[in-house]
Amino acid sequence: MEEEEKVFKILTIDGGGIKGLYSAQILKHFEEKFQCNLSDYFDMFCGTSTGGLIALALSLKIPASEICNFYDNEGPKIFTNFRKVKFMGKSYSNGTRKQIVAGGKFTDTQLKDSLTKIFGKKKIGESNNLLCIPSYNVTEARPYIFKFDHKEGDLNRDNKAFYVDVALATSAAPTYFPMAEISYYDNKQFIDGGVWGNNPTLVGYLEALQYFVGKNKSYNKLKILSVSSLSLTGGKPTGLKRQRSFLDWKDELFETSLTGQSFFTDFFMKKIALLNDVAVDYVRIPSSDISSSQEALVQLDVATPAALDLIRGKGNDMGDVYRKKPEIADFFKQKKLYKI
């Protein structure tokens, strides 16, 4: 007798600062197309940094359209625009000067205020979905994944943590925001999960295989929908200055790390899905192409009206393409099976 197919579905969302608007716009298209709330169709949400903010919001059944509004309304308050200043004999953004000598580009005061508007005093135990939200525990010098305390892992760690604190921990990008210090975890300090897992697909994949999908487990098939952020993947010309200080790299230093990690995870998933005994359907929605003239507007922390228009437009275009694809429709044929 053929075994009944029981599918475990995961939605993963990359990090990328204000560029999370791109991912949120794509997800907005899916909720509109399939007349649904994403929380009802995915067993697990995984998100890093800005993707973690989106994942956390979706787990509270906040519509993707409201998440888009969050980026539009709160983004310019969080990522303030900087004037040019003279520093070490050259002209730089005042934000770059702050990164070098003033403890980081931004405080997290406005970010926390903005997050409180959407999460309030909610705690992880109030999630409607399983969660995996990568961060890095500086105190313990190791990666940390905030999870909904599921019974399969006999977990008793994170359900009493505040959504706001977890959101701050996953998005505390080094040199951009202060480290997150969480009293619930005995004042341990955390930074952006993007330092090791900007594309969190592998995190969700391993969590699913360890606890939920496979031999002697509740599910026999895994479906993963992975949503990219906008990435600057156009490459650079040869002949660049080889000896580069932080002032030469500036924001590209962190951006390059995020892009490289996301690319490798996508490559790994395409290979492992073919080799593993567990049936895995893996769908990746890529970054839109970015022209050289658009690069200045597609940055982690540029939230000017022109930048938001560009990012939103790219997300709308990609969402319009993927909402018509049958492999996307497959994720919405059946509601999630896992019960919280």
Side-chain angles (χ1 to χ4, degrees):
M1 181 180 294
E2 187 173 335
E3 185 180 16
E4 178 188 3
E5 187 174 79
K6 296 193 70 178
V7 182
F8 188 85
K9 293 184 287 185
I10 305 176
L11 174 64
T12 76
I13 310 161
D14 286 16
I18 193 62
K19 296 181 292 182
L21 176 59
Y22 171 80
S23 310
Q25 285 291 149
I26 293 171
L27 297 176
K28 176 183 173 183
H29 273 267
F30 296 163
E31 288 194 339
E32 290 174 350
K33 167 73 173 181
F34 301 104
Q35 293 292 292
C36 72
N37 189 295
L38 289 167
S39 174
D40 295 328
Y41 283 84
F42 288 90
D43 302 281
M44 179 186 291
F45 291 134
C46 301
T48 301
S49 194
T50 197
L53 309 189
I54 297 172
L56 289 167
L58 292 175
S59 75
L60 291 175
K61 298 197 174 221
I62 296 173
S65 59
E66 290 187 22
I67 302 173
C68 292
N69 291 338
F70 172 82
Y71 282 102
D72 278 324
N73 297 330
E74 302 298 320
K77 301 175 188 175
I78 297 167
F79 298 110
T80 53
N81 206 7
F82 292 106
R83 60 185 176 86
K84 292 285 186 179
V85 296
K86 288 288 187 181
F87 183 64
M88 297 180 68
K90 295 183 179 180
S91 179
Y92 294 101
S93 160
N94 192 40
T96 300
R97 183 192 66 80
K98 288 185 174 183
Q99 283 180 292
I100 297 171
V101 300
K105 262 191 175 184
F106 310 97
T107 72
D108 58 2
T109 303
Q110 181 59 57
L111 176 59
K112 186 172 183 178
D113 287 347
S114 296
L115 291 172
T116 301
K117 289 180 183 179
I118 57 171
F119 296 134
K121 294 291 187 180
K122 296 282 188 182
K123 295 183 178 181
I124 295 299
E126 298 175 69
S127 174
N128 295 286
N129 305 79
L130 294 165
L131 289 169
C132 281
I133 310 295
S135 183
Y136 184 84
N137 183 334
V138 174
T139 306
E140 302 294 337
R142 63 181 176 87
Y144 190 91
I145 303 168
F146 296 96
K147 303 179 182 181
F148 179 88
D149 290 340
H150 53 76
K151 58 185 180 295
E152 289 79 3
D154 192 23
L155 299 180
N156 183 30
R157 305 186 323 169
D158 300 321
N159 272 11
K160 294 180 182 178
F162 288 109
Y163 266 74
V164 169
D165 285 337
V166 173
L168 287 171
T170 191
S171 57
T175 78
Y176 288 86
F177 291 107
M179 293 190 292
E181 186 172 282
I182 307 178
S183 59
Y184 176 70
Y185 297 99
D186 302 309
N187 291 319
K188 290 178 181 176
Q189 295 175 316
F190 299 85
I191 59 173
D192 197 310
V195 300
W196 67 273
N198 194 58
N199 176 346
T201 303
L202 277 179
V203 174
Y205 175 72
L206 294 175
E207 186 81 357
L209 293 187
Q210 183 172 2
Y211 295 110
F212 304 105
V213 186
K215 187 177 180 181
N216 298 322
K217 297 184 176 70
S218 299
Y219 303 85
N220 52 28
K221 184 172 182 177
L222 177 60
K223 291 176 71 69
I224 301 176
L225 176 58
S226 175
V227 183
S228 175
S229 177
L230 280 178
S231 301
L232 303 180
T233 55
K236 302 290 183 183
T238 59
L240 295 176
K241 177 182 176 182
R242 294 194 301 120
Q243 294 176 300
R244 310 191 87 190
S245 67
F246 180 84
L247 283 175
D248 294 313
W249 279 103
K250 298 193 287 295
D251 296 341
E252 287 184 24
L253 187 62
F254 195 58
E255 178 81 44
T256 300
S257 172
L258 303 187
T259 301
Q261 290 175 40
S262 293
F263 181 89
F264 172 75
T265 297
D266 181 46
F267 175 82
F268 181 92
M269 285 304 306
K270 288 174 180 175
K271 297 297 182 182
I272 201 68
L274 300 174
L275 300 174
N276 200 298
D277 291 337
V278 174
V280 181
D281 287 347
Y282 169 67
V283 178
R284 171 75 165 170
I285 301 177
S287 169
S288 177
D289 292 334
I290 306 298
S291 71
S292 58
S293 63
Q294 295 170 335
E295 287 187 1
L297 294 176
V298 183
Q299 302 293 327
L300 296 168
D301 61 342
V302 177
T304 61
L308 292 172
D309 284 346
L310 178 64
I311 295 168
R312 190 187 315 104
K314 294 284 187 182
N316 275 327
D317 291 345
M318 191 63 76
D320 189 54
V321 170
Y322 271 81
R323 66 187 285 166
K324 302 168 186 173
K325 290 184 177 288
E327 59 266 36
I328 297 298
D330 283 344
F331 283 91
F332 297 93
K333 289 181 177 177
Q334 180 181 357
K335 287 190 175 183
K336 66 181 182 183
L337 298 177
Y338 189 86
K339 304 298 182 186
I340 293 293

